[in-house]
C-alpha cells in the first residue's frame, strides 16, 4: 500500500517502519519545541493504529516512535486498535483520547503531555506512563487493563485545584498497579477499583493539602498493597470499605493530613489480612479504623496520633506494643466507647492473659466514669475503691479487715453500754461487736445487746453503713454480677 500524500519526512519514516514495528528515532531527548524535523501529527498515528498502514508477513506491525513532537490529538476513541503503541521521549501537544477503545499494549515512556483520557479503555496488555510528565489529569474510569498499569517515576500535576490528578471509578487491573517513585500533585482516585495483582506505591509522594490525597474507597486488592518505603502523603488517605486480601503496609511511610483536624488515614469499614501501620514518625492528623475487620495489626506507640478511632474494629492478633501502651491506644477516642476495651480484653483473654484482661475491664469502667452524672460518678468511684468493679474483690476484704481493726480499737477504748437485763446479756467482746455492726445480719447478738455511747456512736453508724456497702460489693465481686453497662 503506497503512503498517503501530504506526509512530512518524519511521518513518512514512521509509515515505512510501521509494518515491521521498527522504532523510528527522531531524537534521543524530549523535544523542546516544534522542530520541523521531529513533528508528527496525531492524526497520522491515529490512522496507523486504526489499520490504515500495511502489515508484513513474519513481522508484527506497531507504532514505535522516539523523540517526536506530536501535534494534534491521537484520537482512537471507540475504536479497535490491533497494534502496539510505544512513544518514548515524545512531547504531545494535546492529550491522547483512548476512551472506550480496545487496544493492545500502550506505552508512553518519558513523555510530556497535557493529560490522558482512557475512560472505558480495554487494553489487552499493560498501559505504561512511566517516566512521563503530565500537566493535567489521567482519566481511567471503567478501564480494564489485562497487563497491568505502570506509572513508575511519573510526574502528574493537576492544573485545576478541583481536578483529580488521576481519576478512575471501577478500574480493573489484572496483573499489578505500579506507581513507584512518582510525584503527584492533586488527588488520586481509585474508587471501586479491583487490583488483582496488587498495588505498589513505594517512594511515591502525593500532594493535595487540605483534601483527599489518595481515595481507595471500596477498592479490592487481591495481593499486597504497598503504601510504604517512603510513600508520602500531604492530605487524607481514604480507604473506607476497602478489602485487602494480603498485606496493607504503611511501613516507613509518612502520613500528614496538613490539618490536625482532618483525618490522615480514613480506614473505617475495611477488611485486611494484615495491617502494618508503622510509618516513619508520628502520624500527623487523625486516624480512623472504626468498624474494620483486620486479622493482624502490627503498629507501634510512637506512630499513634493523638486521636485514634477504634470503635467497632475487630482483630485476631496484635503486635508491636506493650500492655500499658494498648490501654492508651484504646483511650485515644475523645468519645468513650465500650467496644474497643471489650475487644482488647477478649484478645488478652484469648491468649491466656486473664490478669491483663481484667485490667482492661477496669480501665474501661474508669474511662466510662466521665460520661456519668455526679451520683453515678460517686457510685463508680465507690465500686472502684472497694472491689475494683468486681475484678479486684480482695479490696473489699482489705477494707473489711481495716474497718474491723478500727472498730475493735474504738470499742475497746469506749465500751458500749448494755441494753438488756443482766441475765440475758452476753459477755461483751469488741471484735465480735464490730463484726456484728459490719455484717448486715445480727449474727452474734452483740449489736442488739449493747449500744455505743458518746463519740463512738458515730463510729458505729459508719460501720453499719459501710458494712452494707461492702456486703453488696463483696457479693458482686464473688459472683461477678455487678457489671455496669
Amino acid at each position: 500500500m503506497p503512503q498517503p500524500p501530504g506526509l512530512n519526512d518524519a511521518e513518512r519514516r514512521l509509515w515505512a517502519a510501521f509494518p515491521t514495528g521498527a522504532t523510528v528515532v527522531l531524537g534521543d531527548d524530549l523535544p523542546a519545541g516544534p522542530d520541523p524535523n521531529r513533528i508528527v501529527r496525531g492524526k497520522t498515528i491515529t490512522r496507523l493504529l486504526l489499520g490504515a498502514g500495511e502489515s508484513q508477513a513474519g513481522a508484527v506491525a506497531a507504532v514505535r516512535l522516539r523523540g517526536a513532537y506530536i501535534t494534534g490529538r491521537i484520537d482512537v476513541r471507540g475504536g479497535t486498535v490491533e497494534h502496539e503503541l510505544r512513544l518514548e521521549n515524545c512531547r504531545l501537544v494535546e492529550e491522547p483520547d483512548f476512551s472506550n477503545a480496545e487496544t493492545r499494549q500502550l506505552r508512553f515512556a518519558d513523555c510530556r503531555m497535557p493529560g490522558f483520557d482512557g475512560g472505558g479503555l480495554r487494553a489487552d496488555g499493560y498501559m505504561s506512563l512511566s517516566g512521563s510528565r503530565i500537566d493535567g489529569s489521567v482519566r481511567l474510569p471503567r478501564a480494564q487493563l489485562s497487563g497491568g498499569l505502570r506509572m513508575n517515576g511519573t510526574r502528574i500535576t493537576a492544573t485545576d485545584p478541583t481536578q483529580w490528578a488521576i481519576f478512575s471509578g471501577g478500574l480493573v487491573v489484572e496483573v499489578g498497579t505500579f506507581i513507584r517513585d512518582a510525584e503527584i500533585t492533586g488527588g488520586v482516585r481509585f474508587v471501586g477499583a479491583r487490583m488483582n495483582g496488587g498495588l505498589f506505591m513505594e517512594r511515591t509522594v502525593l500532594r493535595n493539602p487540605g483534601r483527599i490525597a489518595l481515595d481507595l474507597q471500596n477498592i479490592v486488592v487481591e495481593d499486597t498493597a504497598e503504601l510504604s518505603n517512603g510513600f508520602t502523603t500531604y492530605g487524607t488517605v481514604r480507604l473506607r470499605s476497602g478489602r485487602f486480601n494480603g498485606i496493607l503496609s504503611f511501613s516507613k511511610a509518612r502520613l500528614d493530613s496538613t490539618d490536625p483536624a482532618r483525618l490522615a488515614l480514613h480506614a473505617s469499614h475495611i477488611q485486611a489480612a494484615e495491617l502494618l501501620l508503622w510509618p516513619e514518625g508520628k502520624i500527623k492528623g487523625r486516624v480512623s479504623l472504626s468498624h474494620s475487620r483486620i486479622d493482624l495489626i502490627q503498629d507501634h506507640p510512637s506512630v499513634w496520633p493523638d486521636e485514634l478511632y477504634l470503635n467497632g474494629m475487630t482483630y485476631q492478633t496484635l503486635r508491636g506494643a506493650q500492655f500499658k501502651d494498648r490501654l492508651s491506644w484504646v483511650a485515644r477516642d475523645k468519645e468513650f466507647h465500650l467496644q474497643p476495651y471489650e475487644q482488647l480484653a477478649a484478645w488478652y483473654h484469648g491468649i491466656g492473659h486473664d490478669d491483663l484482661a481484667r485490667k482492661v475491664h477496669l480501665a474501661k469502667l474508669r474511662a466510662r466514669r466521665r460520661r456519668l452524672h455526679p451520683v453515678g460518678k460517686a457510685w463508680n468511684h465507690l465500686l472502684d475503691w472497694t472491689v475494683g468493679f468486681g475484678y479486684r474483690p480482695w479490696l473489699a476484704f482489705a477494707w473489711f479487715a481495716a474497718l474491723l481493726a478500727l472498730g475493735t480499737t474504738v470499742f475497746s477504748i469506749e465500751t458500749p453500754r448494755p441494753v438488756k437485763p443482766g441475765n440475758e446479756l452476753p459477755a461483751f467482746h469488741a471484735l465480735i461487736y464490730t463484726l456484728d455492726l459490719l455484717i448486715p445480719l445480727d449474727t452474734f447478738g452483740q449489736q442488739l445487746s449493747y449500744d455505743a455511747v458518746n463519740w463512738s456512736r458515730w463510729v458505729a453508724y459508719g460501720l453499719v453503713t459501710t458494712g452494707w456497702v461492702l456486703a453488696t460489693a463483696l457479693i458482686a465481686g464473688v459472683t461477678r454480677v455487678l457489671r455496669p453497662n
Side-chain angles (χ1 to χ4, degrees), residues 216-254:
L216 304 182
Q217 284 195 94
N218 298 300
I219 194 172
V220 177
V221 181
E222 292 293 347
D223 203 333
T224 300
E226 286 286 354
L227 310 179
S228 59
N229 294 324
F231 172 79
T232 302
T233 59
Y234 298 100
T236 298
V237 176
R238 183 162 65 181
L239 312 180
R240 193 179 192 278
S241 300
R243 192 171 80 222
F244 303 88
N245 295 328
I247 298 174
L248 171 59
S249 175
F250 291 94
S251 175
K252 298 182 180 179
R254 297 181 183 89

Side-chain angles (χ1 to χ4, degrees), residues 52-53 87 147 179 181 196 205 211 218 240 264 307 324 343 405 408:
L87 302 180
I179 312 178
D181 302 292
N196 295 327
V205 179
R211 299 172 180 267
N218 298 300
R240 193 179 192 278
E307 291 189 48
K324 64 181 181 63
Q343 172 65 33
T408 300

Side-chain angles (χ1 to χ4, degrees), residues 331-351:
R332 293 187 178 229
D333 193 337
K334 285 188 175 181
E335 295 186 8
F336 171 77
H337 298 283
L338 285 171
Q339 190 275 339
Y341 291 90
E342 296 283 357
Q343 172 65 33
L344 184 60
W347 182 71
Y348 277 116
H349 176 74
I351 62 173

Side-chain angles (χ1 to χ4, degrees), residues 5 13 26-27 95-96 141 153 158 168 219 230 256 293 305 341 397 420 438 453:
R13 290 177 59 188
L26 302 178
E95 70 172 25
S168 75
I219 194 172
D256 185 352
R293 291 186 294 166
Y341 291 90
F397 290 100
K420 285 187 177 182
L438 286 171
V453 296

